Amino acid sequence: MRKTLTLFALLLALVSLKATAQDRTITGKVTSSEDNTTIPGVSVVVVGTTIGTSTDMNGDYKLTIPPTAKTLRFSGLGMKVKDVPVGASNSMDIILDADVLKLDEVVVSAIGIKQEKKSVGYSTQTLGGEALTKAGQTNALSSLSGKVSGLQVTQSAGTPGASVNIRLRGVSSITGTNDPLIIVDGVAIDNSHDYSGNPDNLSNNYLSSVNNSNRAVDIDPDNIESVNVLKGPSATALYGINAANGAIVITTKKGTRKAGGGVNVIVGTKLNWSEVNKLPELQDKFVKGSGGNYASYQSTASGSWGPSGDTTYWDPNQPTPFNQYGQMVGATAAANTPGAIKYHPYDNVNDFFRTGFSMENNIAVSGGNDLSTFRISFSRLKDEGIVPLSNFNRYSLSLAGSSTITTKLTASGSITYTKSGGRRVQQGSNLSGLMLDLLRNTPSFDISNGNSDPEATSAYLLPDGTQRNYRGGVAYDNPYWTINQNPFNDDVNRMYGSIQTDYKANSWLSFTYRLGSDFYNDRRKQFFAIGSGAFPDGQVFHQEIFYRHVNSDVMATMTKKFSDNFTASLLLGNNFFGSYKQNMYVEGGLLNFPDFQNISVASNVITRESVNRYRTRAYYGQAKFAFKDQLFLDLTGRSEASSTLPKDGNTFFYPSASLGWVFTESLNMHNKTLPFGKLRLSYAIVGKDAPVYALKNYYTTGFFADGWTAGIAFPLDGLAGYTADNTLGNPNLKPEKTKAFEIGADLKFLDNRLGLDITYYNNKSEDQILSVPIAGSTGYQYQIKNAGSMENKGIEIMAYITPVKSKNFQWDITLNWSQNKNKVLFLADGINDLFLGGFEGSAIYAVVGQPYGQMYGGRWLRDGSGNIVINEADGLPIQDPTVGVIGDPNPDWTGGITNSFTYKGFSLSALIDIKQGGLIWNGTRGALNNFGMTKETETRGETKVFEGVRGYYDANNNLVITGDANTVPVVLDQSYYQGIGTGFAGPAEQFMEDGSYVKLREVSLSYSINPKLLKKSPFGSIDISLIGRNLWLQTDYSGVDPETSLTGSGNSLGMDYFNMPNTRSYGVSVRVSM
Amino acid sequence: MKKIQIKTRTIVLFFAALSLGSCKKDFLDVNDNPNLPEEVPVNIILPAAQASLAYDFGGDIARFNAIMAQNVTGVGRQFIGYNSYVFTEEDFNNLWNNMYAGNMSDLYKIMEKAKATPGAYDGYDGVAKIIMAYSLGTMTDLFGDVPYTEAFKGNASLTPKYQTQQEIYETILPELLNSAIADFANTGDDFVLPGGDDKIYGGDLAKWTSLANGLKARFAIHLTKINPGAAQAALDAINAGGLASMDDDAQFGFGGTYQNPWYQYIDQRADISYSSIDYYYGVGCFLSDTMEASGDPRYGAVIDTGGTYYAPGFPSALYMGDDAPVYFFTYFEQKFIEAEAKLLTGDDAGAEISLHEAVTANMEKLGVDSADNATYQTANVVWTGTTQDKLNLIMFQKYVANYLQPESWTDWRRTGQPNLQPNAGSTSPIPRRYIYPTNERLYNPNASNASTTMLTPRLWWDN
């Protein structure tokens, strides 16, 4: 009772405080100096207090102020802050100047803290959500290409939902993930790219199978308010593990109160048509056969080394179910055959692809009142790809809300449910791989058998029900067989979101608690019908991946203004993170009867289960000091303990410091030429833990294969068999460290008509935890240890220019340019090369002293001066029996140029994206030479003298190099192209090609209907855009679009082995708000 | 009042959140692997070790050696290069690792576990040693000097030193085989016999003993080029109790859920031609062409001329059936060794008898009609001419009998029989050794002077 009374008294005191007699009320109107229009939403605050309001729709405000109030501060978005002393008058009309320097731009840090960009001591780049939605890309990340310096985006293929590889400032981890963190509203979300297939095959599964999505595909681009790209460790050090790869910080759209009440409704539709943008050139002159002779349609011959089509006829008197016009005969035979039909080559590849079509619809409803806001949105994407029957669908439902519960306590949260997946495309080194099957196919065989319907069974089935393909029914699947008979479907159900409460205890202390979670179930099913090339007895597998993580952050923030010149703040926090991932795999072979796509018809079933659990706990702190609004110092520290490290050494600490100095302010350089200039300097050390279960040695289920065949797997006839795992664990692992130094400047010239943001960085990663290969004679193949060290040095430039700016017309140019120089400094004692991924003889390696990710493989033998040695016995170059570096896939630099023009309601924007340098292994060409299908084999039979020096084998078979220039001609015939002229038998070196490109990445023409015209309609705005993507491509690469990746978002970029082509697309988008 | 209540509750909530987990000491204790065991018993390791040897011996090793010994012709993709003897070190990575970091490492684990429990697992120990001798002997016959005493030890020895082939032949192989035979004599109360987990002999230790003797004979006869006592040593081993009939053949059965390696290769890759009537390629090779030309009744038994199993011209179901076994050592091979050893030790009459027995044993294994066998032998297995002629006859018959067996390349290297010529399109002589794999060259300094060609240096027993 007594307590209640006290509280009541307190409450009274609070109420009475509000009604002090000396208070007075100020009213006024805020207008813009530029065009005299009134400005709504301008914040009006009594300086030194929390008393404030904001202007209404008409720019009017009304504020009751205490007698102690001396100054009012007016601040509005895009306007210069203005402090006005309170005078005697109760009416204060204010004119605000536009802030052309945009100094109030806010960036969101990895941990979800908003900060004025002006005060940041490291490089970041912010994009509005529109930059990601404009081109209508399925995967939000792929829209970042060319728009951010230091960010390299590689769309792995043009198939629906294909994965996207993202790298910020190169790679920091030699064998670990190099994906930046994807953070949504302060909580990381999973961006795995899991392979499909038997886990015993490990990463080899990336080389074949289908192109699965990386999980960022589940983000609905229309839900994104803004994206802030934090490029270096300094920016992300506070966030913790994996921070070395930078972060993509996404802020989602939140509800806003609608002026005048009611709800905002936005409805949008995008339609997009896509087509193949580039295919390898093939020969269509020579028909199926060998040595210039015909091979019959039913023969299993694989090559197109037959006679020329010019002298070929079809004989209807020799019918075959493989060809509607009959067998091929030569001109002489045709002369004696009545009814012989002149042969023509089939254009299988171009006929196979269709125009893809995607449609995306979305609706968002938002609203609120003084205390609460909400936003609910739903979107639906249906993407039917360039490959018949392939598709990707995504449904996304989001809810976001916030509520001010008391003046001190607010709560907010958002939750997104996504359902995504589709019917995927077989690719890569895979007998069902569509490009492999399409490109190896001979021009004399019609894969469609005259059908235009991709589902027509007579294309891929013979009358007896067996497969119809160009090799008499064996080996490579007919592409129509694959799309109809070997479906792969995936279905992801995912939910992620976070809730947050903020409690402002008093003017200098506040608390935040944030709990986030992300979980999904990814169900995949693959069916290979009986009679498929790789699985003649059929196969079916189910793979079910379950992922869940929970992230908890508690933060206390203390801010103290010591004087007008000096402010300090301190943040202390605690973080818990735990993740769980389960991968269940069930595979059934030897199907008992056809066409029934259920694992119960399999007579040979294997199952695999794996569970990965991982947890971390961290304490962190950040101290910020601001002096005179011109010198900003940030210090952070984080102490993290991880479940994957040895118990007695599982905790590690990493600090960062950054300094921002607005020198134009300090030096009083208030002039028009350089109104704003800031220097940035930062240093950070970030840590990283070990992979799970890396401390011990284990046994694993017996699985034995040899690189050619599927092999055998235990249990075998009900008998269990375990074998010692090939990797040696290490009980003494310690955390990895990346040390990052960064210096840069932000400069704004000529009333912000010209801006320049330039950064130099130098990052060095040490003690990297590697699975280091060891000699097989140790009984193992790998040993986990702290070893590798690598550095990245680079320059990033972001510039913008506004050459023309008038009332109705404006022209803006934005430029991004970046160069990253990576160097592997050390791998492990005695180890100079480390396999990262790929095939035997053409793989990606880390090599000491070279940039990361070198192409490594078979090469020509060279003399001491680097000349290729030619065997004078046959005039052919000699192959080096050892493998080595054959090319660097890393680009010299990347850049993007955006030109935008706005005229009244119209805006036109074009982005040119450039990648300079970086070699690609064209394994497709290497293989196709063997089959006589590349364009270069069309001139078969011509002679060539290989450049190099002569050598011969003496009686003891030792090579003797004479040093004379080679003059021995070689006939480039079938035996050459099936010998060293193919990637199968010859060195991979000859198939390394320049992967540079210039592409017109995006063009958009938008029109916003003048709001004045809509005043009487129910619509608030109507925007219409025409969009084009990849409309033009300039490259010397002879294969598909060089923006390609066989292994998706993995670490081995630069490999093209029957990769799916990319697309160019055209679209239209309409957005209406009510 | 309401306000304050909320405030109190919120602060409690903050502190509760702060303490979440931090009171739980074992929050981070989740690094025990639920997917893989740290230890497994020997009867779980043995079948895996046997299967991996069978898949490798019947896979990469059989295919490469079949190219060398012209049992087959490489006609597609990589095998076009192999057919003209263009190999790189990368081609041997899988093979080496599957042996050293596969079955041999697992056999070593069984031997170590047996050592840790004296008496109980001597049966497993002996079996493991015999298979180890087989694997090690196979590897040295392919690569020459190879590691053994410092091998398989993981962190304890990351750069195992190489043993000379001489040391392996003269010390390690006899030690392994003798000690295995001694292990089997140990029959204490706690002695655990292998059973169904022994996929080769089902735990029949007598058969394992006979295999140990048979292998001693095989290893002994390999040394005929350099050791005058080789033939006698081979005979001694056989007389000590080698295989008694084809029931004792050491072979690993496939079938059902795990298909024979030749079957998988033909079904999944098909870059090799097996005969002039090969359905895919129809490119002949020395062995099948010779058999066909000589009217050898085994031609129809090893080549599926009618395509009744898979397709015409492929190896028969005895070799490429999905359930065909991989043969490690056969009674007929032992008989051929016996014939050669008797001839070289001057027992001409005994040698002739052993040769006929060997050919007959091979015909029986293949299910050839006995009358066809007799007709063929009368016409073709004719004991005449010089000792060299007789040796050539033995070696040719052994070559035919050992269809697709890796042993043929070894026999060719030590005897030069049959008189093979390099394949068409090759500028190099027929290889005489394998190249050490990449990882040994890069990561084991003890292999630093390794050969990088398929020709030199020749193996110790090939000089």
Side-chain angles (χ1 to χ4, degrees):
Chain A
M1 187 65 198
R2 195 185 180 87
K3 213 179 213 173
T4 320
L5 276 175
T6 322
L7 288 173
F8 187 65
L10 256 172
L11 206 64
L12 272 178
L14 279 169
V15 172
S16 61
L17 211 93
K18 254 189 154 174
T20 311
Q22 292 91 337
D23 282 1
R24 58 181 179 138
T25 300
I26 309 280
T27 56
K29 193 184 260 307
V30 180
T31 52
S32 159
S33 66
E34 220 173 6
D35 50 9
N36 298 323
T37 54
T38 58
I39 317 173
V42 172
S43 144
V44 187
V45 180
V46 179
V47 174
T49 73
T50 53
I51 300 164
T53 184
S54 53
T55 56
D56 63 13
M57 278 300 285
N58 303 316
D60 294 327
Y61 72 94
K62 183 175 174 186
L63 181 65
T64 305
I65 61 169
T68 49
K70 291 195 170 63
T71 315
L72 293 187
R73 174 168 294 165
F74 296 83
S75 56
L77 205 64
M79 309 306 284
K80 271 187 183 158
V81 176
K82 194 166 196 173
D83 287 350
V84 184
V86 180
S89 167
N90 281 345
S91 168
M92 289 170 69
D93 288 346
I94 304 296
I95 297 166
L96 290 184
D97 297 329
D99 175 19
V100 290
L101 296 179
K102 298 194 171 71
L103 295 179
D104 59 352
E105 192 183 335
V106 167
V107 295
V108 182
S109 77
I111 209 147
I113 302 161
K114 286 184 180 155
Q115 193 170 354
E116 275 188 348
K117 188 169 183 185
K118 184 173 66 173
S119 71
V120 172
Y122 45 77
S123 172
T124 77
Q125 211 167 325
T126 306
L127 294 171
E130 201 191 336
L132 280 75
T133 53
K134 214 172 201 175
Q137 287 297 103
T138 299
N139 194 323
L141 297 182
S142 61
S143 306
L144 293 170
S145 190
K147 293 171 187 161
V148 180
S149 64
L151 180 70
Q152 195 193 339
V153 180
T154 308
Q155 172 79 38
S156 62
T159 50
S163 63
V164 177
N165 181 305
I166 291 248
R167 283 175 182 183
L168 267 170
R169 292 187 177 168
V171 297
S172 65
S173 177
I174 293 173
T175 56
T177 173
N178 282 300
D179 288 340
L181 285 168
I182 309 285
I183 293 168
V184 176
D185 294 337
V187 179
I189 66 161
D190 183 66
N191 184 28
S192 314
H193 172 234
D194 292 300
Y195 57 72
S196 296
N198 191 332
D200 295 339
N201 258 334
L202 299 172
S203 55
N204 283 334
N205 285 306
Y206 286 120
L207 305 177
S208 53
S209 187
V210 298
N211 193 329
N212 287 109
S213 304
N214 50 323
R215 289 266 62 90
V217 79
D218 297 328
I219 301 170
D220 174 11
D222 279 299
N223 255 355
I224 297 175
E225 173 70 33
S226 68
V227 173
N228 188 27
V229 181
L230 303 177
K231 298 174 186 177
S234 301
T236 50
L238 196 57
Y239 197 86
I241 286 174
N242 288 337
N245 303 327
I248 312 264
V249 178
I250 293 169
T251 305
T252 61
K253 286 178 181 160
K254 304 292 184 320
T256 47
R257 179 185 164 192
K258 184 172 186 176
V263 293
N264 306 292
V265 179
I266 294 175
V267 181
T269 294
K270 283 187 213 112
L271 307 175
N272 214 34
W273 289 264
S274 58
E275 58 192 36
V276 172
N277 75 334
K278 187 173 186 304
L279 286 165
E281 267 197 90
L282 302 178
Q283 72 87 11
D284 64 356
K285 197 168 174 208
F286 295 95
V287 304
K288 179 178 175 181
S290 183
N293 300 313
Y294 293 111
S296 67
Y297 275 109
Q298 70 273 19
S299 86
T300 59
S302 61
S304 296
W305 294 105
S308 163
D310 297 345
T311 57
T312 299
Y313 292 80
W314 281 306
D315 180 1
N317 305 311
Q318 296 184 57
T320 166
F322 288 93
N323 186 45
Q324 53 180 322
Y325 304 113
Q327 292 284 8
M328 291 180 292
V329 292
T332 320
N336 303 321
T337 308
I341 302 162
K342 183 81 186 82
Y343 164 91
H344 65 81
Y346 296 106
D347 192 1
N348 286 298
V349 183
N350 285 309
D351 291 346
F352 179 73
F353 292 107
R354 66 179 180 187
T355 300
F357 174 66
S358 79
M359 176 162 74
E360 189 180 357
N361 296 305
N362 59 72
I363 178 164
V365 179
S366 68
N369 56 27
D370 286 343
L371 296 175
S372 302
T373 63
F374 78 96
R375 181 177 186 272
I376 184 162
S377 68
F378 176 73
S379 75
R380 169 180 171 273
L381 166 78
K382 278 183 96 68
D383 186 354
E384 313 224 297
I386 49 173
V387 171
L389 308 188
S390 71
N391 60 54
F392 178 82
N393 299 315
R394 180 178 63 212
Y395 304 86
S396 183
L397 180 64
S398 294
L399 175 66
S402 70
S403 181
T404 305
I405 298 163
T406 72
T407 50
K408 296 189 168 183
L409 181 68
T410 57
S412 58
S414 66
I415 188 162
T416 298
Y417 164 75
T418 300
K419 176 180 165 66
S420 69
R423 185 158 165 146
R424 306 274 175 168
V425 171
Q426 297 288 335
Q427 65 164 20
S429 178
N430 169 355
L431 293 184
S432 302
L434 285 178
M435 284 297 272
L436 189 147
D437 297 336
L438 273 172
L439 303 181
R440 292 185 185 191
N441 185 72
T442 186
S444 53
F445 180 80
D446 177 10
I447 57 169
S448 72
N449 207 8
N451 292 292
S452 53
D453 175 6
E455 294 180 70
T457 53
S458 64
Y460 59 88
L461 288 182
L462 294 173
D464 68 358
T466 59
Q467 188 179 161
R468 176 183 176 278
N469 71 10
Y470 93 94
R471 293 188 62 186
V474 303
Y476 312 136
D477 288 329
N478 183 321
Y480 289 106
W481 168 282
T482 297
I483 61 172
N484 285 286
Q485 300 279 83
N486 301 340
F488 178 105
N489 284 286
D490 67 331
D491 181 23
V492 173
N493 283 275
R494 181 174 192 174
M495 195 103 97
Y496 62 87
S498 59
I499 51 169
Q500 178 170 330
T501 53
D502 292 285
Y503 180 73
K504 200 164 168 45
N506 56 41
S507 64
W508 58 272
L509 176 65
S510 63
F511 297 97
T512 297
Y513 180 67
R514 186 188 300 134
L515 185 68
S517 185
D518 178 6
F519 58 94
Y520 61 80
N521 196 8
D522 178 349
R523 294 177 300 134
R524 304 173 178 184
K525 181 169 181 175
Q526 168 77 65
F527 181 75
F528 287 102
I530 294 173
S532 296
F535 304 100
D537 302 314
Q539 198 205 58
V540 55
F541 73 70
H542 288 265
Q543 189 166 17
E544 193 149 335
I545 298 164
F546 174 77
Y547 176 84
R548 175 188 70 221
H549 78 222
V550 176
N551 185 81
S552 152
D553 272 294
V554 182
M555 286 174 272
T557 314
M558 287 145 273
T559 310
K560 178 87 182 148
K561 188 163 186 174
F562 291 96
S563 72
D564 277 350
N565 288 339
F566 183 62
T567 309
S569 72
L570 179 68
L571 176 148
L572 295 173
N574 159 269
N575 171 265
F576 287 102
F577 178 85
S579 73
Y580 176 93
K581 188 167 199 172
Q582 183 181 32
N583 188 345
M584 288 294 299
Y585 178 80
V586 185
E587 176 187 292
L590 301 174
L591 306 187
N592 285 317
F593 58 93
D595 302 333
F596 189 57
Q597 302 186 11
N598 191 297
I599 196 134
S600 53
V601 302
S603 47
N604 168 16
V605 175
I606 65 159
T607 58
R608 293 289 184 265
E609 177 195 2
S610 87
V611 168
N612 282 2
R613 296 176 75 189
Y614 168 70
R615 287 178 179 175
T616 58
R617 177 183 61 218
Y619 299 96
Y620 53 87
Q622 180 182 36
K624 296 165 67 148
F625 306 96
F627 179 69
K628 275 191 154 179
D629 225 22
Q630 52 190 256
L631 196 59
F632 304 91
L633 176 67
D634 276 21
L635 302 172
T636 74
R638 183 171 170 119
S639 171
E640 185 131 19
S642 163
S643 64
T644 63
L645 289 166
K647 267 179 197 157
D648 50 2
N650 66 357
T651 306
F652 47 109
F653 177 78
Y654 38 96
S656 84
S658 68
L659 185 70
W661 177 36
V662 183
F663 64 90
T664 45
E665 201 68 28
S666 308
L667 306 175
N668 254 321
M669 295 164 61
H670 296 286
N671 60 47
K672 273 205 133 170
T673 320
L674 181 60
F676 179 84
K678 181 176 81 170
L679 295 177
R680 296 180 267 108
L681 185 67
S682 72
Y683 184 78
I685 300 176
V686 294
K688 192 173 178 183
D689 52 4
V692 294
Y693 319 137
L695 308 179
K696 295 175 181 165
N697 298 342
Y698 299 102
Y699 283 86
T700 182
T701 322
F703 167 71
F704 309 105
D706 53 17
W708 309 98
T709 55
I712 52 174
F714 277 84
L716 191 135
D717 262 1
L719 196 61
Y722 271 75
T723 176
D725 192 51
N726 285 331
T727 302
L728 273 173
N730 186 337
N732 303 314
L733 289 179
K734 54 184 188 193
E736 300 181 355
K737 276 200 168 89
T738 298
K739 297 172 181 168
F741 168 77
E742 182 184 314
I743 185 165
D746 295 354
L747 306 169
K748 294 172 193 280
F749 302 95
L750 304 171
D751 268 351
N752 210 19
R753 292 279 287 269
L754 176 65
L756 185 66
D757 185 332
I758 180 162
T759 306
Y760 168 81
Y761 60 86
N762 186 341
N763 299 350
K764 191 172 169 191
S765 306
E766 291 172 342
D767 287 333
Q768 296 226 338
I769 296 170
L770 299 181
S771 191
V772 170
I774 51 179
S777 52
T778 58
Y780 298 84
Q781 294 184 46
Y782 304 96
Q783 179 198 30
I784 298 176
K785 63 198 270 191
N786 284 100
S789 147
M790 188 160 68
E791 71 176 9
N792 285 287
K793 292 179 189 174
I795 295 173
E796 289 159 0
I797 297 170
M798 207 277 288
Y800 53 89
I801 310 161
T802 306
V804 181
K805 187 177 182 179
S806 69
K807 194 162 190 280
N808 285 328
F809 180 71
Q810 185 165 333
W811 173 23
D812 294 296
I813 305 171
T814 315
L815 287 159
N816 288 299
W817 186 89
S818 49
Q819 178 172 57
N820 181 67
K821 292 281 178 210
N822 175 295
K823 193 170 173 186
V824 176
L825 302 174
F826 176 69
L827 287 170
D829 286 328
I831 294 188
N832 283 312
D833 334 65
L834 185 71
F835 175 86
L836 301 172
F839 302 92
E840 294 269 323
S842 38
I844 298 290
Y845 270 66
V847 181
V848 173
Q850 304 275 346
Y852 179 84
Q854 294 291 301
M855 194 76 206
Y856 200 91
R859 50 194 174 162
W860 301 122
L861 190 70
R862 287 179 159 81
D863 68 6
S865 328
N867 301 306
I868 294 174
V869 182
I870 310 289
N871 188 345
E872 57 182 35
D874 54 17
L876 290 170
I878 296 173
Q879 215 174 145
D880 190 331
T882 64
V883 290
V885 172
I886 54 174
D888 183 359
N890 296 295
D892 300 332
W893 55 264
T894 56
I897 308 166
T898 306
N899 275 284
S900 339
F901 307 91
T902 49
Y903 175 71
K904 290 187 172 168
F906 288 94
S907 69
L908 172 68
S909 154
L911 164 62
I912 291 170
D913 196 353
I914 306 167
K915 185 185 112 178
Q916 174 61 41
L919 300 183
I920 296 178
W921 169 63
N922 191 344
T924 310
R925 182 163 69 88
L928 290 181
N929 275 358
N930 177 80
F931 299 97
M933 280 306 295
T934 51
K935 195 73 181 169
E936 67 198 87
T937 63
E938 195 164 283
T939 53
R940 57 191 63 173
E942 66 178 7
T943 55
K944 175 176 177 176
V945 177
F946 282 92
E947 202 177 313
V949 294
R950 293 165 75 136
Y952 64 89
Y953 288 96
D954 69 10
N956 298 321
N957 211 55
N958 292 317
L959 179 65
V960 180
I961 300 171
T962 66
D964 301 334
N966 175 49
T967 52
V968 184
V970 175
V971 181
L972 302 182
D973 55 6
Q974 181 179 351
S975 69
Y976 164 76
Y977 283 114
Q978 292 192 332
I980 61 164
T982 170
F984 293 141
E989 175 185 334
Q990 57 190 322
F991 303 108
M992 296 305 294
E993 296 185 24
D994 185 0
S996 302
Y997 61 74
V998 180
K999 54 168 75 174
L1000 184 55
R1001 174 74 68 181
E1002 275 179 31
V1003 182
S1004 69
L1005 175 63
S1006 309
Y1007 176 66
S1008 299
I1009 293 177
N1010 191 337
K1012 282 177 193 162
L1013 299 175
L1014 295 172
K1015 257 192 174 157
K1016 282 182 181 158
S1017 77
F1019 305 115
S1021 68
I1022 297 176
D1023 301 298
I1024 301 161
S1025 302
L1026 298 174
I1027 42 200
R1029 197 174 155 87
N1030 284 348
L1031 295 186
W1032 175 74
L1033 168 69
Q1034 173 66 46
T1035 181
D1036 291 338
Y1037 188 66
S1038 73
V1040 293
D1041 185 336
E1043 184 190 353
T1044 187
S1045 169
L1046 178 59
T1047 56
S1049 63
N1051 279 344
S1052 33
L1053 278 178
M1055 291 201 300
D1056 177 6
Y1057 192 75
F1058 295 101
N1059 293 8
M1060 291 304 296
N1062 225 317
T1063 57
R1064 82 170 74 85
S1065 63
Y1066 316 86
V1068 57
S1069 144
V1070 179
R1071 205 171 68 141
V1072 177
S1073 77
M1074 285 170 267
Chain B
M1 197 162 93
K2 201 176 174 195
K3 232 178 216 174
I4 286 164
Q5 268 184 356
I6 288 170
K7 180 177 173 179
T8 320
R9 222 184 284 158
T10 318
I11 288 175
V12 169
L13 193 80
F14 274 123
F15 280 98
L18 253 176
S19 60
L20 178 84
S22 58
C23 56
K24 262 178 91 183
K25 227 176 149 187
D26 59 349
F27 176 76
L28 296 175
D29 201 4
V30 293
N31 208 32
D32 285 327
N33 194 335
N35 308 319
L36 302 174
E38 285 173 54
E39 287 299 337
V40 291
V42 290
N43 62 327
I44 301 293
I45 306 177
L46 183 65
Q50 291 184 348
S52 83
L53 171 64
Y55 204 79
D56 216 34
F57 189 74
D60 265 343
I61 296 175
R63 282 190 297 270
F64 291 156
N65 283 15
I67 292 278
M68 313 297 176
Q70 297 176 12
N71 282 205
V72 299
T73 305
V75 287
R77 298 183 283 194
Q78 290 87 345
F79 272 82
I80 295 175
Y82 299 157
N83 207 59
S84 40
Y85 314 126
V86 178
F87 286 88
T88 70
E89 56 180 4
E90 299 262 298
D91 295 318
F92 303 105
N93 288 349
N94 281 329
L95 182 163
W96 179 280
N97 287 329
N98 286 343
M99 294 293 282
Y100 265 96
N103 84 81
M104 292 167 84
S105 145
D106 289 336
L107 295 166
Y108 178 77
K109 290 239 152 36
I110 295 175
M111 287 156 65
E112 289 293 294
K113 281 175 188 283
K115 223 184 270 173
T117 327
Y121 295 115
D122 280 8
Y124 280 94
D125 198 17
V127 169
K129 284 171 180 164
I130 293 169
I131 309 173
M132 178 69 96
Y134 189 87
S135 299
L136 183 64
T138 301
M139 292 301 275
T140 188
D141 290 341
L142 301 176
F143 292 95
D145 299 353
V146 288
Y148 181 74
T149 49
E150 291 184 1
F152 324 117
K153 291 185 163 58
N155 279 322
S157 173
L158 289 169
T159 56
K161 79 164 206 262
Y162 277 53
Q163 252 84 35
T164 62
Q165 187 172 54
Q166 181 173 9
E167 190 185 351
I168 288 167
Y169 262 87
E170 291 178 350
T171 314
I172 297 168
L173 295 178
E175 262 177 25
L176 281 168
L177 294 170
N178 289 331
S179 133
I181 294 168
D183 283 339
F184 295 148
N186 186 357
T187 51
D189 287 347
D190 51 356
F191 189 85
V192 185
L193 262 179
D197 50 313
D198 170 10
K199 292 278 292 175
I200 296 175
Y201 284 138
D204 186 337
L205 298 187
K207 287 190 175 179
W208 279 108
T209 306
S210 66
L211 176 62
N213 286 320
L215 292 180
K216 282 188 194 176
R218 181 196 265 191
F219 294 139
I221 207 76
H222 284 175
L223 308 185
T224 50
K225 220 170 174 175
I226 53 161
N227 181 354
Q232 188 56 50
L235 272 185
D236 291 348
I238 293 168
N239 293 334
L243 308 190
S245 74
M246 73 174 174
D247 292 343
D248 291 350
D249 284 356
Q251 60 191 48
F252 184 95
F254 283 86
T257 60
Y258 48 106
Q259 298 154 333
N260 170 289
W262 273 114
Y263 175 85
Q264 292 202 21
Y265 186 82
I266 290 168
D267 204 36
Q268 296 164 29
R269 298 289 299 191
D271 291 337
I272 288 177
S273 181
Y274 300 85
S275 66
S276 312
I277 56 165
D278 182 287
Y279 179 71
Y280 285 2
Y281 297 101
V283 177
C285 53
F286 178 80
L287 177 52
S288 56
D289 288 352
T290 309
M291 287 165 91
E292 187 187 13
S294 66
D296 194 323
R298 285 171 293 186
Y299 175 69
V302 303
I303 299 291
D304 182 7
T305 52
T308 51
Y309 177 70
Y310 193 82
F314 283 100
S316 73
L318 288 170
Y319 292 91
M320 78 149 286
D322 61 337
D323 56 353
V326 163
Y327 306 104
F328 295 122
F329 188 70
T330 54
Y331 174 67
F332 66 76
E333 183 187 331
Q334 188 185 289
K335 274 287 166 196
F336 280 111
I337 296 170
E338 189 180 277
E340 182 184 355
K342 282 181 174 169
L343 179 70
L344 295 179
T345 53
D347 180 4
D348 187 86
E352 182 182 7
I353 294 168
S354 296
L355 171 61
H356 285 295
E357 285 173 353
V359 176
T360 301
N362 176 232
M363 296 273 186
E364 283 173 0
K365 180 93 182 171
L366 295 173
V368 172
D369 184 80
S370 60
D372 292 346
N373 173 28
T375 312
Y376 171 79
Q377 291 212 33
T378 311
N380 295 286
V381 188
V382 185
W383 195 250
T384 178
T386 64
T387 303
Q388 184 63 47
D389 292 337
K390 289 170 180 167
L391 180 68
N392 292 358
L393 178 64
I394 294 170
M395 295 319 296
F396 177 74
Q397 285 301 325
K398 187 182 182 188
Y399 173 74
V400 173
N402 267 336
Y403 181 63
L404 297 182
Q405 300 306 303
E407 186 67 7
S408 293
W409 184 42
T410 298
D411 284 339
W412 173 82
R413 283 179 291 168
R414 68 184 180 84
T415 66
Q417 293 301 320
N419 184 19
L420 303 174
Q421 297 306 312
N423 283 329
S426 158
T427 57
S428 157
I430 298 172
R432 304 200 75 95
R433 57 167 303 124
Y434 283 180
I435 305 169
Y436 287 111
T438 322
N439 286 6
E440 289 294 322
R441 177 176 66 84
L442 293 177
Y443 311 131
N444 188 353
N446 290 314
S448 59
N449 56 357
S451 152
T452 53
T453 84
M454 295 292 283
L455 293 161
T456 54
R458 287 197 182 191
L459 306 191
W460 166 68
W461 55 244
D462 188 23
N463 278 295

